[in-house]
Amino acid sequence: MAHNLTNSEIERYSRQLIIPDYGIESQNKLKSSSILIIGCGGLGCPSALYLSTAGIGRLGLVDDDTIEISNIHRQIAHDENKIGISKAQNLADRCKALNSLVKYEVHNILFTKTTALNLIEQYPFLFLSIYCTDNVITRYLINDVCVLLGKPLVSGSALKFEGQLTVYNYLNGPCYRCLYPTAPPAHAVSNCSDAGILGPIVGMIGSLQALEAIKVVAEIGTCLNGRMMIFDGFDFLTRIIKLRPRQIETCLMCKSVLSRENLTKKDREEILENFDYIEFCGVSNYNDKSINISILSDKKRINCSDYKNFTESHLLIDVRPKCQFNICSLPNSLNIPFDDFVYNEEKVVENIRDKLGNEKSIFLVCRRGNDSQLAVEILEKHFNDKEIKDLIGGLQTWSKEIEPDFPKY
Amino acid sequence: MLHLTIEFSGGAELLFGNVKKHQVELNNDTKWTIRELLVWIKDNLLKHKPEMFLQDETIRPGILILVNDSDWDLLGNLSYELNDNDNVTFISTLHGG
């Protein structure tokens, strides 16, 4: 059959070309296709590496973040020598070293309404993998743009030992919004930097995203549209679940696309413009990484250097989960995880009363200084004769300002 | 008795003492739909934070319900009538990556 591969490409891709169900036809389609990867982290790295080596024609890489040492255990394209470098640029460089025939495009941008439509429009196929933020808003936004432009979306996500994988907005399968018409409450969403993630989990989900993207582009096999893979690596359980079809009656985006013929660029812009993502997701901005809250008045808080100089006897309570307390803690701190404050308030109060003795002050510390404030509010109800304060900015600030040798995580 | 396997994953298990799989037996004098099951779970299995499980008498946004590995939306949603040995799974959607 007619194809546009050179002899060197035939040699390079020979091991996939000789698979009867793949063949030169699939390679041809791959070569003339383009894919955009949104997020160049744990999922984006393996997927980009595999799509690049497989011979996709053009690969767009989006991320506004830079490489940190705590990324490297899972974001396998990034290395120790590239701390502080753009993730998108570094991933493109790594891919280029593997396959220089691919055209790479680096987008060091944050995904917002304005950037999303223009960018996704340039890529015939789309392939999603969000980097580690609890970024529900970006997920809805990318989904909606894909629906408006009629592009399939290969979606992966992972946390701790678990992963989920599906293809949205493809054939008769649902889009993300069909499945989740209402955004989860913002406080119910956790991200990798708070909840943790194991490298092989994102490695596997990211690799499978590349597989699904190849199949969508080559139009071969059976994709995960209308189905979702749920992987629990802790107990090694995999299940493939059957999803509802596209919700043309109730899904806000699918409905607005199907109710009108030939959407123009202006129509799409209008639909996006009229939707308030920030309100819908109940978040404060598009780059919703770990949020630092401030709920206590200043007099109920103490900053790290004042705490360092505080010499009177007091009780220091560390409210982080036990597994974090085991990593590192301040001397003489008592670990009472914040969950216990919420679920076993009486027991916690009893425990503190036992430990308290004659101390007049109770200080509360956590990782970033959020839960410690909430714990102050709980304890105030029970110990109104004590001085109760939280350590502003938590152990992260302590490590930054007071004790550089204190572990950072 | 109506025998059900109830599973939680994607973080939903945290609301249930971190136990992912529960075998339960329900008295089947009356019919059980998902609607009744949700209330039963809230009263009998849920350890805390009911608002993280139920909202407005249905499942809270971000948790997908599966019956025997099928989206509950394909089966009639809250009105699906449970059968003996059904597996009902609650999956919290993940966002990390």
Side-chain angles (χ1 to χ4, degrees):
Chain A
M1 73 157 276
H3 62 77
N4 59 4
L5 300 184
T6 64
N7 284 352
S8 77
E9 284 172 322
I10 288 171
E11 191 179 356
R12 175 188 284 264
Y13 304 124
S14 58
R15 296 303 185 272
Q16 61 196 42
L17 289 176
I18 59 174
I19 307 171
D21 286 333
Y22 182 81
I24 200 134
E25 234 175 286
S26 297
Q27 194 65 49
N28 236 351
K29 287 181 187 158
L30 224 61
K31 188 180 175 180
S32 50
S33 296
S34 51
I35 285 179
L36 183 69
I37 295 183
I38 302 160
C40 298
L43 297 168
C45 285
S47 30
L49 294 172
Y50 275 122
L51 285 170
S52 144
T53 52
I56 192 77
R58 183 170 143 232
L59 194 59
L61 300 165
V62 186
D63 208 313
D64 72 324
D65 207 1
T66 55
I67 300 164
E68 294 173 27
I69 190 77
S70 63
N71 297 144
I72 289 174
H73 82 111
R74 66 188 188 284
Q75 304 184 6
I76 46 157
H78 306 319
D79 65 71
E80 292 176 3
N81 300 315
K82 300 291 166 60
I83 306 297
I85 304 275
S86 140
K87 287 186 183 178
Q89 183 61 54
N90 189 56
L91 184 54
D93 293 345
R94 288 296 289 263
C95 289
K96 199 167 186 183
L98 296 170
N99 191 351
S100 56
L101 303 175
V102 177
K103 185 165 183 266
Y104 299 98
E105 284 156 13
V106 174
H107 307 281
N108 288 309
I109 55 160
L110 181 68
F111 242 69
T112 63
K113 269 188 203 177
T114 11
T115 54
L117 202 56
N118 289 332
L119 192 57
I120 294 182
E121 211 167 29
Q122 303 164 26
Y123 292 81
F125 289 97
L126 185 68
F127 173 39
L128 157 79
S129 45
I130 299 273
Y131 59 95
C132 270
T133 75
D134 46 335
N135 215 327
V136 184
I137 201 167
T138 315
R139 285 199 182 249
Y140 276 102
L141 178 60
I142 294 166
N143 174 76
D144 294 350
V145 175
C146 287
V147 173
L148 291 173
L149 293 167
K151 290 170 196 271
L153 177 59
V154 180
S155 163
S157 57
L159 206 65
K160 297 195 265 192
F161 277 90
E162 290 184 79
Q164 297 174 356
L165 174 72
T166 186
V167 182
Y168 288 122
N169 196 41
Y170 185 48
L171 304 176
N172 192 33
C175 78
Y176 184 64
R177 197 183 276 278
C178 294
L179 207 53
Y180 303 107
T182 313
H187 58 275
V189 177
S190 34
N191 61 19
C192 295
S193 90
D194 288 341
I197 176 74
L198 213 59
I201 302 289
V202 273
M204 177 181 129
I205 299 293
S207 303
L208 291 179
Q209 282 184 283
L211 172 67
E212 289 303 284
I214 289 171
K215 283 156 60 191
V216 169
V217 169
E219 298 170 282
I220 55 171
T222 311
C223 292
L224 269 177
N225 50 295
R227 297 184 296 160
M228 182 188 282
M229 187 189 81
I230 311 272
F231 179 65
D232 173 352
F234 192 72
D235 291 320
F236 217 101
L237 298 168
T238 305
R239 54 169 110 198
I240 309 293
I241 62 174
K242 190 165 182 264
L243 301 176
R244 67 197 72 176
R246 184 183 295 284
Q247 304 290 295
I248 43 176
E249 302 288 327
T250 52
C251 171
L252 211 64
M253 282 299 144
C254 291
K255 195 170 69 182
S256 63
V257 169
L258 291 168
S259 64
R260 296 195 229 181
E261 271 174 48
N262 302 325
L263 280 185
T264 62
K265 193 170 190 287
K266 197 160 167 277
D267 295 335
R268 294 188 196 105
E269 281 168 0
E270 254 176 43
I271 293 173
L272 275 193
E273 206 40 60
N274 290 334
F275 192 80
D276 189 338
Y277 286 87
I278 290 181
E279 196 201 333
F280 176 73
C281 295
V283 295
S284 51
N285 57 56
Y286 279 82
N287 189 10
D288 212 4
K289 286 194 168 189
S290 300
I291 316 154
N292 290 318
I293 59 166
S294 178
I295 50 170
L296 296 178
S297 65
D298 286 349
K299 61 174 197 273
K300 293 179 186 170
R301 313 197 70 188
I302 183 165
N303 66 39
C304 288
S305 61
D306 287 347
Y307 178 72
K308 185 175 177 264
N309 297 325
F310 188 87
T311 50
E312 284 168 49
S313 155
H314 63 277
L315 183 64
L316 176 63
I317 302 174
D318 186 326
V319 303
R320 291 173 300 153
K322 192 167 187 299
C323 82
Q324 294 185 25
F325 184 78
N326 288 344
I327 301 171
C328 54
S329 61
L330 291 176
N332 303 320
S333 53
L334 171 70
N335 182 216
I336 305 178
F338 181 67
D339 271 359
D340 290 356
F341 280 77
V342 177
Y343 306 132
N344 290 313
E345 190 172 324
E346 279 176 34
K347 245 179 153 172
V348 165
V349 170
E350 209 176 303
N351 185 10
I352 293 174
R353 243 185 253 289
D354 279 352
K355 302 273 170 11
L356 201 51
N358 296 325
E359 277 92 341
K360 290 194 184 67
S361 314
I362 304 173
F363 294 120
L364 292 130
V365 63
C366 64
R367 186 177 174 198
R368 296 200 178 92
N370 292 337
D371 283 349
S372 55
Q373 294 181 62
L374 300 170
V376 167
E377 286 198 320
I378 293 171
L379 288 190
E380 274 179 338
K381 294 183 294 179
H382 301 278
F383 299 94
N384 45 24
D385 55 334
K386 306 286 178 196
E387 173 191 38
I388 306 176
K389 288 183 176 177
D390 98 296
L391 191 60
I392 299 171
L395 294 170
Q396 277 190 353
T397 305
W398 180 266
S399 166
K400 212 186 311 173
E401 293 176 2
I402 308 294
E403 194 186 338
D405 286 344
F406 194 83
K408 297 170 184 66
Y409 69 93
Chain B
M1 297 297 267
L2 184 67
H3 302 82
L4 301 176
T5 303
I6 297 176
E7 293 188 68
F8 302 98
S9 96
E13 70 276 11
L14 295 175
L15 299 170
F16 298 88
N18 215 9
V19 179
K20 287 185 194 164
K21 198 169 185 173
H22 304 249
Q23 303 286 354
V24 306
E25 283 186 5
L26 302 175
N27 193 330
N28 57 354
D29 293 346
T30 55
K31 285 179 177 173
W32 284 88
T33 63
I34 299 276
R35 184 180 285 109
E36 281 99 37
L37 182 68
L38 289 178
V39 176
W40 186 89
I41 290 175
K42 183 181 77 123
D43 294 340
N44 293 277
L45 297 181
L46 194 65
K47 296 277 187 246
H48 31 66
K49 293 193 187 174
E51 76 285 0
M52 294 295 277
F53 185 64
L54 292 184
Q55 256 179 37
D56 305 325
E57 286 164 29
T58 186
I59 197 74
R60 79 134 167 90
I63 299 181
L64 193 61
I65 302 182
L66 309 171
V67 179
N68 304 325
D69 286 349
S70 281
D71 188 342
W72 71 323
D73 212 54
L74 295 164
L75 304 168
N77 230 289
L78 285 170
S79 346
Y80 170 76
E81 199 176 306
L82 291 153
N83 297 307
D84 200 26
N85 296 319
D86 270 352
N87 173 305
V88 185
T89 299
F90 296 84
I91 294 199
S92 187
T93 171
L94 303 177
H95 296 94

